[in-house]
Amino acid sequence: MELAIQVHIEELPEGLFLATSDELPGLVAQGRTVTEALEIARDVARKLLEAQRERDGMPNLPSTTERRNHTIVVAA
């Protein structure tokens, strides 16, 4: 099963990118690029979900079939 987790990306003053999620507390990842921050965030999320599943059972997050939000970036 795949879960859909909203992730926020913020560019830090040092030029790095910080990924966090309101839906999955504890998800914090940092990378040199947005792509790297998202890749690290995916690994962190997997570990957090695994620990939560062992402790409390399956988390209450929407599956990928239930959520279809996309962001596009357009030059203006």
PDB file of all heavy atoms in Angstrom, residues 17-57:
ATOM      1  N   PHE A  17      17.478  23.030   1.356  1.00  0.00           N
ATOM      2  CA  PHE A  17      16.027  22.896   1.338  1.00  0.00           C
ATOM      3  C   PHE A  17      15.583  21.999   2.488  1.00  0.00           C
ATOM      4  O   PHE A  17      16.159  20.935   2.709  1.00  0.00           O
ATOM      5  CB  PHE A  17      15.563  22.327  -0.009  1.00  0.00           C
ATOM      6  CG  PHE A  17      15.838  23.273  -1.138  1.00  0.00           C
ATOM      7  CD1 PHE A  17      17.043  23.242  -1.808  1.00  0.00           C
ATOM      8  CD2 PHE A  17      14.890  24.222  -1.497  1.00  0.00           C
ATOM      9  CE1 PHE A  17      17.310  24.123  -2.848  1.00  0.00           C
ATOM     10  CE2 PHE A  17      15.140  25.113  -2.531  1.00  0.00           C
ATOM     11  CZ  PHE A  17      16.351  25.057  -3.206  1.00  0.00           C
ATOM     12  N   LEU A  18      14.558  22.448   3.210  1.00  0.00           N
ATOM     13  CA  LEU A  18      14.031  21.738   4.363  1.00  0.00           C
ATOM     14  C   LEU A  18      12.657  21.190   4.029  1.00  0.00           C
ATOM     15  O   LEU A  18      11.772  21.930   3.585  1.00  0.00           O
ATOM     16  CB  LEU A  18      13.933  22.692   5.560  1.00  0.00           C
ATOM     17  CG  LEU A  18      13.392  22.104   6.853  1.00  0.00           C
ATOM     18  CD1 LEU A  18      14.388  21.106   7.428  1.00  0.00           C
ATOM     19  CD2 LEU A  18      13.111  23.213   7.855  1.00  0.00           C
ATOM     20  N   ALA A  19      12.470  19.894   4.251  1.00  0.00           N
ATOM     21  CA  ALA A  19      11.181  19.235   4.012  1.00  0.00           C
ATOM     22  C   ALA A  19      10.570  18.855   5.354  1.00  0.00           C
ATOM     23  O   ALA A  19      11.240  18.240   6.187  1.00  0.00           O
ATOM     24  CB  ALA A  19      11.374  17.986   3.154  1.00  0.00           C
ATOM     25  N   THR A  20       9.299  19.238   5.568  1.00  0.00           N
ATOM     26  CA  THR A  20       8.569  18.878   6.778  1.00  0.00           C
ATOM     27  C   THR A  20       7.143  18.495   6.383  1.00  0.00           C
ATOM     28  O   THR A  20       6.719  18.729   5.258  1.00  0.00           O
ATOM     29  CB  THR A  20       8.508  20.056   7.779  1.00  0.00           C
ATOM     30  OG1 THR A  20       7.867  21.170   7.151  1.00  0.00           O
ATOM     31  CG2 THR A  20       9.894  20.456   8.269  1.00  0.00           C
ATOM     32  N   SER A  21       6.419  17.920   7.334  1.00  0.00           N
ATOM     33  CA  SER A  21       5.039  17.538   7.060  1.00  0.00           C
ATOM     34  C   SER A  21       4.188  17.727   8.302  1.00  0.00           C
ATOM     35  O   SER A  21       4.555  17.269   9.382  1.00  0.00           O
ATOM     36  CB  SER A  21       4.961  16.072   6.622  1.00  0.00           C
ATOM     37  OG  SER A  21       3.616  15.691   6.440  1.00  0.00           O
ATOM     38  N   ASP A  22       3.047  18.400   8.123  1.00  0.00           N
ATOM     39  CA  ASP A  22       2.086  18.531   9.217  1.00  0.00           C
ATOM     40  C   ASP A  22       1.358  17.212   9.447  1.00  0.00           C
ATOM     41  O   ASP A  22       0.880  16.942  10.544  1.00  0.00           O
ATOM     42  CB  ASP A  22       1.054  19.618   8.900  1.00  0.00           C
ATOM     43  CG  ASP A  22       1.673  21.002   8.834  1.00  0.00           C
ATOM     44  OD1 ASP A  22       2.729  21.220   9.464  1.00  0.00           O
ATOM     45  OD2 ASP A  22       1.100  21.873   8.149  1.00  0.00           O
ATOM     46  N   GLU A  23       1.266  16.391   8.412  1.00  0.00           N
ATOM     47  CA  GLU A  23       0.523  15.135   8.502  1.00  0.00           C
ATOM     48  C   GLU A  23       1.305  14.028   9.202  1.00  0.00           C
ATOM     49  O   GLU A  23       0.709  13.112   9.757  1.00  0.00           O
ATOM     50  CB  GLU A  23       0.143  14.642   7.101  1.00  0.00           C
ATOM     51  CG  GLU A  23      -0.829  15.537   6.406  1.00  0.00           C
ATOM     52  CD  GLU A  23      -1.202  15.016   5.037  1.00  0.00           C
ATOM     53  OE1 GLU A  23      -0.481  14.187   4.464  1.00  0.00           O
ATOM     54  OE2 GLU A  23      -2.238  15.469   4.542  1.00  0.00           O
ATOM     55  N   LEU A  24       2.627  14.108   9.165  1.00  0.00           N
ATOM     56  CA  LEU A  24       3.462  13.080   9.773  1.00  0.00           C
ATOM     57  C   LEU A  24       4.469  13.748  10.708  1.00  0.00           C
ATOM     58  O   LEU A  24       5.577  14.104  10.297  1.00  0.00           O
ATOM     59  CB  LEU A  24       4.174  12.263   8.691  1.00  0.00           C
ATOM     60  CG  LEU A  24       4.940  11.030   9.144  1.00  0.00           C
ATOM     61  CD1 LEU A  24       4.033  10.053   9.884  1.00  0.00           C
ATOM     62  CD2 LEU A  24       5.570  10.348   7.946  1.00  0.00           C
ATOM     63  N   PRO A  25       4.068  13.955  11.965  1.00  0.00           N
ATOM     64  CA  PRO A  25       4.967  14.608  12.924  1.00  0.00           C
ATOM     65  C   PRO A  25       6.311  13.882  13.003  1.00  0.00           C
ATOM     66  O   PRO A  25       6.368  12.656  12.971  1.00  0.00           O
ATOM     67  CB  PRO A  25       4.208  14.497  14.247  1.00  0.00           C
ATOM     68  CG  PRO A  25       2.775  14.356  13.852  1.00  0.00           C
ATOM     69  CD  PRO A  25       2.797  13.571  12.563  1.00  0.00           C
ATOM     70  N   GLY A  26       7.363  14.659  13.062  1.00  0.00           N
ATOM     71  CA  GLY A  26       8.701  14.095  13.135  1.00  0.00           C
ATOM     72  C   GLY A  26       9.388  14.014  11.784  1.00  0.00           C
ATOM     73  O   GLY A  26      10.586  13.758  11.713  1.00  0.00           O
ATOM     74  N   LEU A  27       8.640  14.237  10.710  1.00  0.00           N
ATOM     75  CA  LEU A  27       9.243  14.199   9.380  1.00  0.00           C
ATOM     76  C   LEU A  27       9.976  15.507   9.137  1.00  0.00           C
ATOM     77  O   LEU A  27       9.371  16.567   8.970  1.00  0.00           O
ATOM     78  CB  LEU A  27       8.178  13.989   8.297  1.00  0.00           C
ATOM     79  CG  LEU A  27       8.689  14.040   6.854  1.00  0.00           C
ATOM     80  CD1 LEU A  27       9.731  12.951   6.614  1.00  0.00           C
ATOM     81  CD2 LEU A  27       7.558  13.906   5.883  1.00  0.00           C
ATOM     82  N   VAL A  28      11.295  15.419   9.146  1.00  0.00           N
ATOM     83  CA  VAL A  28      12.160  16.565   8.880  1.00  0.00           C
ATOM     84  C   VAL A  28      13.324  16.042   8.058  1.00  0.00           C
ATOM     85  O   VAL A  28      13.985  15.078   8.445  1.00  0.00           O
ATOM     86  CB  VAL A  28      12.693  17.197  10.187  1.00  0.00           C
ATOM     87  CG1 VAL A  28      13.628  18.355   9.887  1.00  0.00           C
ATOM     88  CG2 VAL A  28      11.557  17.641  11.077  1.00  0.00           C
ATOM     89  N   ALA A  29      13.547  16.653   6.904  1.00  0.00           N
ATOM     90  CA  ALA A  29      14.641  16.238   6.033  1.00  0.00           C
ATOM     91  C   ALA A  29      15.247  17.474   5.389  1.00  0.00           C
ATOM     92  O   ALA A  29      14.555  18.455   5.128  1.00  0.00           O
ATOM     93  CB  ALA A  29      14.124  15.283   4.956  1.00  0.00           C
ATOM     94  N   GLN A  30      16.542  17.410   5.126  1.00  0.00           N
ATOM     95  CA  GLN A  30      17.248  18.542   4.550  1.00  0.00           C
ATOM     96  C   GLN A  30      18.108  18.048   3.399  1.00  0.00           C
ATOM     97  O   GLN A  30      18.738  16.995   3.503  1.00  0.00           O
ATOM     98  CB  GLN A  30      18.125  19.180   5.624  1.00  0.00           C
ATOM     99  CG  GLN A  30      18.862  20.415   5.192  1.00  0.00           C
ATOM    100  CD  GLN A  30      19.599  21.032   6.360  1.00  0.00           C
ATOM    101  OE1 GLN A  30      18.980  21.448   7.324  1.00  0.00           O
ATOM    102  NE2 GLN A  30      20.915  21.069   6.282  1.00  0.00           N
ATOM    103  N   GLY A  31      18.120  18.804   2.306  1.00  0.00           N
ATOM    104  CA  GLY A  31      18.938  18.426   1.163  1.00  0.00           C
ATOM    105  C   GLY A  31      19.482  19.627   0.437  1.00  0.00           C
ATOM    106  O   GLY A  31      19.023  20.748   0.643  1.00  0.00           O
ATOM    107  N   ARG A  32      20.449  19.366  -0.439  1.00  0.00           N
ATOM    108  CA  ARG A  32      21.050  20.451  -1.222  1.00  0.00           C
ATOM    109  C   ARG A  32      20.133  20.912  -2.340  1.00  0.00           C
ATOM    110  O   ARG A  32      20.268  22.025  -2.839  1.00  0.00           O
ATOM    111  CB  ARG A  32      22.388  20.006  -1.799  1.00  0.00           C
ATOM    112  CG  ARG A  32      23.460  19.791  -0.730  1.00  0.00           C
ATOM    113  CD  ARG A  32      24.693  19.249  -1.387  1.00  0.00           C
ATOM    114  NE  ARG A  32      24.337  17.954  -1.981  1.00  0.00           N
ATOM    115  CZ  ARG A  32      25.021  16.839  -1.837  1.00  0.00           C
ATOM    116  NH1 ARG A  32      26.128  16.841  -1.158  1.00  0.00           N
ATOM    117  NH2 ARG A  32      24.615  15.715  -2.382  1.00  0.00           N
ATOM    118  N   THR A  33      19.213  20.041  -2.762  1.00  0.00           N
ATOM    119  CA  THR A  33      18.242  20.373  -3.804  1.00  0.00           C
ATOM    120  C   THR A  33      16.860  19.950  -3.311  1.00  0.00           C
ATOM    121  O   THR A  33      16.737  19.182  -2.347  1.00  0.00           O
ATOM    122  CB  THR A  33      18.546  19.631  -5.114  1.00  0.00           C
ATOM    123  OG1 THR A  33      18.396  18.222  -4.885  1.00  0.00           O
ATOM    124  CG2 THR A  33      19.950  19.931  -5.633  1.00  0.00           C
ATOM    125  N   VAL A  34      15.821  20.414  -3.991  1.00  0.00           N
ATOM    126  CA  VAL A  34      14.462  19.992  -3.641  1.00  0.00           C
ATOM    127  C   VAL A  34      14.340  18.483  -3.813  1.00  0.00           C
ATOM    128  O   VAL A  34      13.795  17.783  -2.961  1.00  0.00           O
ATOM    129  CB  VAL A  34      13.418  20.735  -4.506  1.00  0.00           C
ATOM    130  CG1 VAL A  34      12.034  20.152  -4.300  1.00  0.00           C
ATOM    131  CG2 VAL A  34      13.421  22.227  -4.189  1.00  0.00           C
ATOM    132  N   THR A  35      14.881  17.966  -4.903  1.00  0.00           N
ATOM    133  CA  THR A  35      14.809  16.528  -5.164  1.00  0.00           C
ATOM    134  C   THR A  35      15.484  15.727  -4.064  1.00  0.00           C
ATOM    135  O   THR A  35      14.936  14.727  -3.585  1.00  0.00           O
ATOM    136  CB  THR A  35      15.450  16.203  -6.534  1.00  0.00           C
ATOM    137  OG1 THR A  35      14.761  16.926  -7.544  1.00  0.00           O
ATOM    138  CG2 THR A  35      15.406  14.725  -6.838  1.00  0.00           C
ATOM    139  N   GLU A  36      16.663  16.154  -3.646  1.00  0.00           N
ATOM    140  CA  GLU A  36      17.373  15.446  -2.587  1.00  0.00           C
ATOM    141  C   GLU A  36      16.597  15.509  -1.272  1.00  0.00           C
ATOM    142  O   GLU A  36      16.487  14.506  -0.565  1.00  0.00           O
ATOM    143  CB  GLU A  36      18.774  16.038  -2.396  1.00  0.00           C
ATOM    144  CG  GLU A  36      19.587  15.296  -1.342  1.00  0.00           C
ATOM    145  CD  GLU A  36      20.977  15.871  -1.187  1.00  0.00           C
ATOM    146  OE1 GLU A  36      21.105  17.111  -1.026  1.00  0.00           O
ATOM    147  OE2 GLU A  36      21.942  15.083  -1.212  1.00  0.00           O
ATOM    148  N   ALA A  37      16.035  16.673  -0.946  1.00  0.00           N
ATOM    149  CA  ALA A  37      15.249  16.806   0.285  1.00  0.00           C
ATOM    150  C   ALA A  37      14.035  15.879   0.247  1.00  0.00           C
ATOM    151  O   ALA A  37      13.697  15.241   1.250  1.00  0.00           O
ATOM    152  CB  ALA A  37      14.810  18.255   0.486  1.00  0.00           C
ATOM    153  N   LEU A  38      13.379  15.764  -0.915  1.00  0.00           N
ATOM    154  CA  LEU A  38      12.223  14.876  -1.044  1.00  0.00           C
ATOM    155  C   LEU A  38      12.624  13.408  -0.948  1.00  0.00           C
ATOM    156  O   LEU A  38      11.917  12.598  -0.348  1.00  0.00           O
ATOM    157  CB  LEU A  38      11.487  15.143  -2.352  1.00  0.00           C
ATOM    158  CG  LEU A  38      10.712  16.460  -2.396  1.00  0.00           C
ATOM    159  CD1 LEU A  38      10.203  16.733  -3.805  1.00  0.00           C
ATOM    160  CD2 LEU A  38       9.570  16.460  -1.395  1.00  0.00           C
ATOM    161  N   GLU A  39      13.756  13.033  -1.519  1.00  0.00           N
ATOM    162  CA  GLU A  39      14.231  11.650  -1.427  1.00  0.00           C
ATOM    163  C   GLU A  39      14.529  11.277   0.026  1.00  0.00           C
ATOM    164  O   GLU A  39      14.165  10.199   0.496  1.00  0.00           O
ATOM    165  CB  GLU A  39      15.475  11.452  -2.289  1.00  0.00           C
ATOM    166  CG  GLU A  39      15.190  11.467  -3.768  1.00  0.00           C
ATOM    167  CD  GLU A  39      16.454  11.470  -4.618  1.00  0.00           C
ATOM    168  OE1 GLU A  39      17.573  11.490  -4.060  1.00  0.00           O
ATOM    169  OE2 GLU A  39      16.317  11.451  -5.853  1.00  0.00           O
ATOM    170  N   ILE A  40      15.188  12.180   0.736  1.00  0.00           N
ATOM    171  CA  ILE A  40      15.493  11.937   2.145  1.00  0.00           C
ATOM    172  C   ILE A  40      14.202  11.900   2.953  1.00  0.00           C
ATOM    173  O   ILE A  40      14.027  11.051   3.836  1.00  0.00           O
ATOM    174  CB  ILE A  40      16.476  13.005   2.680  1.00  0.00           C
ATOM    175  CG1 ILE A  40      17.821  12.865   1.959  1.00  0.00           C
ATOM    176  CG2 ILE A  40      16.652  12.888   4.185  1.00  0.00           C
ATOM    177  CD1 ILE A  40      18.774  14.022   2.180  1.00  0.00           C
ATOM    178  N   ALA A  41      13.258  12.797   2.648  1.00  0.00           N
ATOM    179  CA  ALA A  41      11.969  12.826   3.338  1.00  0.00           C
ATOM    180  C   ALA A  41      11.231  11.503   3.155  1.00  0.00           C
ATOM    181  O   ALA A  41      10.599  10.994   4.088  1.00  0.00           O
ATOM    182  CB  ALA A  41      11.113  13.987   2.838  1.00  0.00           C
ATOM    183  N   ARG A  42      11.298  10.928   1.973  1.00  0.00           N
ATOM    184  CA  ARG A  42      10.638   9.635   1.707  1.00  0.00           C
ATOM    185  C   ARG A  42      11.239   8.548   2.598  1.00  0.00           C
ATOM    186  O   ARG A  42      10.522   7.735   3.180  1.00  0.00           O
ATOM    187  CB  ARG A  42      10.785   9.269   0.233  1.00  0.00           C
ATOM    188  CG  ARG A  42      10.035   8.020  -0.145  1.00  0.00           C
ATOM    189  CD  ARG A  42      10.111   7.720  -1.632  1.00  0.00           C
ATOM    190  NE  ARG A  42       9.359   8.717  -2.383  1.00  0.00           N
ATOM    191  CZ  ARG A  42       9.886   9.608  -3.203  1.00  0.00           C
ATOM    192  NH1 ARG A  42      11.185   9.663  -3.385  1.00  0.00           N
ATOM    193  NH2 ARG A  42       9.124  10.464  -3.847  1.00  0.00           N
ATOM    194  N   ASP A  43      12.570   8.532   2.733  1.00  0.00           N
ATOM    195  CA  ASP A  43      13.219   7.540   3.591  1.00  0.00           C
ATOM    196  C   ASP A  43      12.852   7.743   5.058  1.00  0.00           C
ATOM    197  O   ASP A  43      12.575   6.786   5.778  1.00  0.00           O
ATOM    198  CB  ASP A  43      14.738   7.603   3.431  1.00  0.00           C
ATOM    199  CG  ASP A  43      15.208   7.106   2.072  1.00  0.00           C
ATOM    200  OD1 ASP A  43      14.455   6.330   1.428  1.00  0.00           O
ATOM    201  OD2 ASP A  43      16.309   7.492   1.654  1.00  0.00           O
ATOM    202  N   VAL A  44      12.850   8.996   5.502  1.00  0.00           N
ATOM    203  CA  VAL A  44      12.483   9.302   6.887  1.00  0.00           C
ATOM    204  C   VAL A  44      11.031   8.905   7.137  1.00  0.00           C
ATOM    205  O   VAL A  44      10.714   8.295   8.169  1.00  0.00           O
ATOM    206  CB  VAL A  44      12.718  10.800   7.206  1.00  0.00           C
ATOM    207  CG1 VAL A  44      12.148  11.171   8.558  1.00  0.00           C
ATOM    208  CG2 VAL A  44      14.201  11.133   7.139  1.00  0.00           C
ATOM    209  N   ALA A  45      10.150   9.222   6.203  1.00  0.00           N
ATOM    210  CA  ALA A  45       8.734   8.874   6.355  1.00  0.00           C
ATOM    211  C   ALA A  45       8.555   7.364   6.466  1.00  0.00           C
ATOM    212  O   ALA A  45       7.781   6.878   7.301  1.00  0.00           O
ATOM    213  CB  ALA A  45       7.923   9.422   5.176  1.00  0.00           C
ATOM    214  N   ARG A  46       9.260   6.616   5.641  1.00  0.00           N
ATOM    215  CA  ARG A  46       9.166   5.157   5.673  1.00  0.00           C
ATOM    216  C   ARG A  46       9.556   4.621   7.057  1.00  0.00           C
ATOM    217  O   ARG A  46       8.881   3.770   7.622  1.00  0.00           O
ATOM    218  CB  ARG A  46      10.068   4.564   4.587  1.00  0.00           C
ATOM    219  CG  ARG A  46       9.867   3.094   4.358  1.00  0.00           C
ATOM    220  CD  ARG A  46      10.710   2.564   3.202  1.00  0.00           C
ATOM    221  NE  ARG A  46      10.406   3.238   1.950  1.00  0.00           N
ATOM    222  CZ  ARG A  46      11.287   3.969   1.258  1.00  0.00           C
ATOM    223  NH1 ARG A  46      12.514   4.131   1.701  1.00  0.00           N
ATOM    224  NH2 ARG A  46      10.937   4.549   0.130  1.00  0.00           N
ATOM    225  N   LYS A  47      10.631   5.164   7.623  1.00  0.00           N
ATOM    226  CA  LYS A  47      11.084   4.721   8.941  1.00  0.00           C
ATOM    227  C   LYS A  47      10.105   5.132  10.035  1.00  0.00           C
ATOM    228  O   LYS A  47       9.823   4.360  10.953  1.00  0.00           O
ATOM    229  CB  LYS A  47      12.478   5.260   9.226  1.00  0.00           C
ATOM    230  CG  LYS A  47      13.524   4.617   8.346  1.00  0.00           C
ATOM    231  CD  LYS A  47      14.878   5.237   8.524  1.00  0.00           C
ATOM    232  CE  LYS A  47      15.852   4.604   7.541  1.00  0.00           C
ATOM    233  NZ  LYS A  47      17.141   5.252   7.534  1.00  0.00           N
ATOM    234  N   LEU A  48       9.578   6.356   9.940  1.00  0.00           N
ATOM    235  CA  LEU A  48       8.592   6.812  10.933  1.00  0.00           C
ATOM    236  C   LEU A  48       7.324   5.960  10.874  1.00  0.00           C
ATOM    237  O   LEU A  48       6.775   5.581  11.916  1.00  0.00           O
ATOM    238  CB  LEU A  48       8.232   8.284  10.692  1.00  0.00           C
ATOM    239  CG  LEU A  48       9.283   9.319  11.074  1.00  0.00           C
ATOM    240  CD1 LEU A  48       8.871  10.696  10.550  1.00  0.00           C
ATOM    241  CD2 LEU A  48       9.461   9.358  12.580  1.00  0.00           C
ATOM    242  N   LEU A  49       6.855   5.666   9.674  1.00  0.00           N
ATOM    243  CA  LEU A  49       5.639   4.854   9.520  1.00  0.00           C
ATOM    244  C   LEU A  49       5.858   3.432  10.020  1.00  0.00           C
ATOM    245  O   LEU A  49       4.973   2.844  10.651  1.00  0.00           O
ATOM    246  CB  LEU A  49       5.190   4.847   8.064  1.00  0.00           C
ATOM    247  CG  LEU A  49       4.646   6.175   7.554  1.00  0.00           C
ATOM    248  CD1 LEU A  49       4.496   6.140   6.039  1.00  0.00           C
ATOM    249  CD2 LEU A  49       3.334   6.511   8.226  1.00  0.00           C
ATOM    250  N   GLU A  50       7.030   2.878   9.759  1.00  0.00           N
ATOM    251  CA  GLU A  50       7.342   1.536  10.237  1.00  0.00           C
ATOM    252  C   GLU A  50       7.325   1.487  11.765  1.00  0.00           C
ATOM    253  O   GLU A  50       6.742   0.582  12.357  1.00  0.00           O
ATOM    254  CB  GLU A  50       8.711   1.113   9.710  1.00  0.00           C
ATOM    255  CG  GLU A  50       9.128  -0.282  10.096  1.00  0.00           C
ATOM    256  CD  GLU A  50      10.488  -0.614   9.509  1.00  0.00           C
ATOM    257  OE1 GLU A  50      10.620  -0.570   8.272  1.00  0.00           O
ATOM    258  OE2 GLU A  50      11.404  -0.902  10.303  1.00  0.00           O
ATOM    259  N   ALA A  51       7.931   2.475  12.403  1.00  0.00           N
ATOM    260  CA  ALA A  51       7.941   2.527  13.863  1.00  0.00           C
ATOM    261  C   ALA A  51       6.533   2.731  14.415  1.00  0.00           C
ATOM    262  O   ALA A  51       6.147   2.090  15.399  1.00  0.00           O
ATOM    263  CB  ALA A  51       8.864   3.658  14.344  1.00  0.00           C
ATOM    264  N   GLN A  52       5.756   3.596  13.766  1.00  0.00           N
ATOM    265  CA  GLN A  52       4.388   3.841  14.221  1.00  0.00           C
ATOM    266  C   GLN A  52       3.519   2.597  14.044  1.00  0.00           C
ATOM    267  O   GLN A  52       2.697   2.276  14.898  1.00  0.00           O
ATOM    268  CB  GLN A  52       3.773   5.014  13.454  1.00  0.00           C
ATOM    269  CG  GLN A  52       2.397   5.400  13.939  1.00  0.00           C
ATOM    270  CD  GLN A  52       1.848   6.617  13.218  1.00  0.00           C
ATOM    271  OE1 GLN A  52       2.516   7.210  12.384  1.00  0.00           O
ATOM    272  NE2 GLN A  52       0.637   6.986  13.530  1.00  0.00           N
ATOM    273  N   ARG A  53       3.703   1.889  12.938  1.00  0.00           N
ATOM    274  CA  ARG A  53       2.933   0.668  12.676  1.00  0.00           C
ATOM    275  C   ARG A  53       3.220  -0.383  13.743  1.00  0.00           C
ATOM    276  O   ARG A  53       2.320  -1.062  14.235  1.00  0.00           O
ATOM    277  CB  ARG A  53       3.265   0.131  11.294  1.00  0.00           C
ATOM    278  CG  ARG A  53       2.342  -0.954  10.823  1.00  0.00           C
ATOM    279  CD  ARG A  53       2.630  -1.399   9.398  1.00  0.00           C
ATOM    280  NE  ARG A  53       2.799  -0.280   8.484  1.00  0.00           N
ATOM    281  CZ  ARG A  53       3.907  -0.049   7.772  1.00  0.00           C
ATOM    282  NH1 ARG A  53       4.928  -0.862   7.844  1.00  0.00           N
ATOM    283  NH2 ARG A  53       3.978   0.978   6.963  1.00  0.00           N
ATOM    284  N   GLU A  54       4.478  -0.528  14.142  1.00  0.00           N
ATOM    285  CA  GLU A  54       4.850  -1.495  15.179  1.00  0.00           C
ATOM    286  C   GLU A  54       4.255  -1.119  16.532  1.00  0.00           C
ATOM    287  O   GLU A  54       3.864  -1.979  17.305  1.00  0.00           O
ATOM    288  CB  GLU A  54       6.365  -1.593  15.286  1.00  0.00           C
ATOM    289  CG  GLU A  54       7.015  -2.271  14.107  1.00  0.00           C
ATOM    290  CD  GLU A  54       8.522  -2.260  14.184  1.00  0.00           C
ATOM    291  OE1 GLU A  54       9.088  -1.770  15.191  1.00  0.00           O
ATOM    292  OE2 GLU A  54       9.160  -2.734  13.223  1.00  0.00           O
ATOM    293  N   ARG A  55       4.171   0.173  16.794  1.00  0.00           N
ATOM    294  CA  ARG A  55       3.694   0.660  18.091  1.00  0.00           C
ATOM    295  C   ARG A  55       2.171   0.752  18.147  1.00  0.00           C
ATOM    296  O   ARG A  55       1.553   0.295  19.102  1.00  0.00           O
ATOM    297  CB  ARG A  55       4.330   2.032  18.356  1.00  0.00           C
ATOM    298  CG  ARG A  55       4.104   2.574  19.741  1.00  0.00           C
ATOM    299  CD  ARG A  55       4.793   3.920  19.949  1.00  0.00           C
ATOM    300  NE  ARG A  55       4.297   4.936  19.018  1.00  0.00           N
ATOM    301  CZ  ARG A  55       5.022   5.516  18.065  1.00  0.00           C
ATOM    302  NH1 ARG A  55       6.289   5.203  17.909  1.00  0.00           N
ATOM    303  NH2 ARG A  55       4.490   6.413  17.267  1.00  0.00           N
ATOM    304  N   ASP A  56       1.546   1.349  17.132  1.00  0.00           N
ATOM    305  CA  ASP A  56       0.120   1.687  17.203  1.00  0.00           C
ATOM    306  C   ASP A  56      -0.738   1.072  16.105  1.00  0.00           C
ATOM    307  O   ASP A  56      -1.939   1.305  16.079  1.00  0.00           O
ATOM    308  CB  ASP A  56      -0.068   3.212  17.114  1.00  0.00           C
ATOM    309  CG  ASP A  56       0.701   3.960  18.179  1.00  0.00           C
ATOM    310  OD1 ASP A  56       0.793   3.461  19.307  1.00  0.00           O
ATOM    311  OD2 ASP A  56       1.216   5.052  17.871  1.00  0.00           O
ATOM    312  N   GLY A  57      -0.162   0.386  15.157  1.00  0.00           N
ATOM    313  CA  GLY A  57      -0.930  -0.089  14.009  1.00  0.00           C
ATOM    314  C   GLY A  57      -0.798   0.886  12.856  1.00  0.00           C
ATOM    315  O   GLY A  57      -0.034   1.836  12.902  1.00  0.00           O
TER     316      GLY A  57
END
